[in-house]
């Protein structure tokens, strides 16, 4: 198996390992505060072993959300584009008072 084919898998494994080993604020370690879900529909296969995963990360205590993408298009400082890993802050969830409550509505 070619070393380039294993690279996406190794990057995803490294990310998950770092997520598990990163020190959390006091009281957050055992409560499952940070939850990560792989978004399967976001991954696109461009050839043998060329998978680009996307992960949704939720802070269940504060409501912050991020997406992490591997092999995403990024701008280079010298101009042009290349591919790299991107962590994007998606915003913060708003808490409602009951199930089914509409929090925000727009036309």
């Amino acid at each position: 198996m070619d070393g380039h084919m294993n690279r996406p898998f190794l990057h995803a494994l490294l990310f998950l390992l770092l997520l598990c080993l990163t020190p959390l604020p006091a009281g957050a370690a055992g409560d499952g505060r940070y939850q990560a879900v792989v978004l399967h529909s976001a991954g696109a296969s461009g050839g043998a072993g060329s998978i680009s995963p996307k992960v949704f990360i939720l802070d269940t205590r504060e409501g912050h959300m991020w997406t992490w993408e591997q092999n995403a298009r990024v701008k280079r400082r010298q101009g042009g584009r290349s591919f790299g890993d991107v962590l994007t802050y998606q915003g913060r969830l708003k808490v409602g008072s009951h199930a089914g409550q509409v929090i925000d509505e727009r036309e």
Side-chain angles (χ1 to χ4, degrees), residues 48-60:
S50 176
I51 297 174
S52 300
K54 187 172 187 176
V55 178
F56 175 78
I57 304 165
L58 173 65
D59 175 351
T60 61

Side-chain angles (χ1 to χ4, degrees), residues 76-91:
R76 289 187 285 166
R77 289 190 179 122
Q78 300 86 12
R81 296 204 173 262
S82 65
F83 294 92
D85 298 345
V86 176
L87 181 66
T88 305
Y89 182 68
Q90 298 295 331

